[in-house]
Amino acid sequence: MKVKAYLEITMQIADENRSAAANVFFKYKEEFLKNIQGAITKDLLIRKEDIQVIHGFDSVANAENYLLSDLFKNDVYIELKALWQTDPEVKIYTVA
């Protein structure tokens, strides 16, 4: 299956909280890939200035729907919210 859309979530997280954020990523990665409609990939990118989670989907609609899913709203969001220094930046891209 080919990735046709990316959901990028960029988070400002203090150095001392980055391992906790990575744990959330790994905790839910398999569930995301198995249970979220259209999910194809999920990668964690770590830079000095921020952390990004890049989700690959088969459509923009499925990327948008993930943000409304129980997994995102009730688990991932809740666990990460306390770690954010500012609200995350959320972007969805179409693959040309």
Side-chain angles (χ1 to χ4, degrees):
M1 189 174 283
K2 186 176 178 184
V3 173
K4 296 187 178 181
Y6 285 102
L7 165 63
E8 173 190 87
I9 301 175
T10 303
M11 300 168 281
Q12 305 295 320
I13 297 178
D15 288 343
E16 63 269 16
N17 293 326
R18 286 183 170 211
S19 63
N23 288 339
V24 173
F25 170 85
F26 289 111
K27 179 179 179 179
Y28 294 108
K29 180 178 181 177
E30 191 67 28
E31 184 176 352
F32 168 82
L33 292 171
K34 284 185 177 181
N35 298 323
I36 295 299
Q37 184 174 350
I40 300 172
T41 63
K42 184 174 183 180
D43 295 298
L44 178 64
L45 307 178
I46 300 171
R47 303 187 307 170
K48 184 176 181 176
E49 57 271 21
D50 59 33
I51 293 176
Q52 294 180 334
V53 180
I54 308 295
H55 310 74
F57 288 90
D58 64 357
S59 70
V60 168
N62 282 331
E64 292 170 339
N65 288 336
Y66 169 62
L67 295 173
L68 303 173
S69 72
D70 287 342
L71 176 63
F72 183 76
K73 292 188 313 184
N74 299 333
D75 296 315
V76 175
Y77 178 87
I78 297 298
E79 290 188 36
L80 287 173
K81 186 177 180 181
L83 304 175
W84 295 330
Q85 294 177 304
T86 62
D87 288 339
E89 185 176 355
V90 178
K91 297 178 183 178
I92 295 177
Y93 300 91
T94 300
V95 177

